[in-house]
Amino acid sequence: MTPRSTTGEPLPARSVWANAGTAFAGVLMTVGGVLDVLNGIAGIAGDDVYEPVGDYVYSLGLTGWGWIHVVVGALVALTGLGILKGFDAARAFGVGLAALYLVENFMFLPYAPVWSTVSIAVAVFVIWALVAAPRATR
């Protein structure tokens, strides 16, 4: 079965991939947001999950980083759910939040280098996916 636009015309192959990417971006945002909240809770709890970093330009206490992760993660997860529901406002908000998520994880690199690098890559994909689909095919 050929995917169709809202007008009933067949979608070009690029649009099909972009729409699938948008749905995947919604899933990634929802899961990534939940994981970010859990990451923040670990920082707030004061466990030995993260080692304190010495002299670092973006130095915050782990409790501060924990709250940043909880707030940003909750917003990202809720926006991901909005994208999955098909809300255009969630798509627009999602681009900005994905950019914020990217910056947050860049600043968190010394605490969790591998996870932060993966999160940065996910944020780049999410930004692409949310802006790639033509408006008429959403």
Side-chain angles (χ1 to χ4, degrees):
M1 176 179 232
T2 304
R4 306 233 175 237
S5 71
T6 55
T7 61
E9 298 175 19
L11 291 174
R14 183 180 185 281
S15 295
V16 172
W17 278 99
N19 286 336
T22 301
F24 188 52
V27 171
L28 286 175
M29 287 185 76
T30 303
V31 172
V34 169
L35 291 175
D36 210 29
V37 168
L38 296 174
N39 193 10
I41 291 170
I44 293 168
D47 291 337
D48 294 330
V49 175
Y50 301 109
E51 290 293 322
V53 175
D55 292 329
Y56 178 53
V57 175
Y58 307 114
S59 179
L60 278 174
L62 287 177
T63 302
W65 277 116
W67 282 110
I68 290 170
H69 281 286
V70 167
V71 171
V72 172
L75 290 172
V76 168
L78 291 173
T79 304
L81 290 173
I83 289 167
L84 291 173
K85 289 280 199 175
F87 299 135
D88 282 337
R91 290 173 58 105
F93 195 59
V95 172
L97 266 179
L100 179 63
Y101 186 71
L102 188 150
V103 170
E104 169 198 7
N105 281 289
F106 172 77
M107 293 172 64
F108 199 68
L109 269 168
Y111 296 96
V114 174
W115 179 251
S116 292
T117 303
V118 169
S119 296
I120 289 168
V122 166
V124 169
F125 171 79
V126 166
I127 292 169
W128 169 82
L130 294 179
V131 299
R135 185 173 182 88
T137 62
R138 290 186 210 159

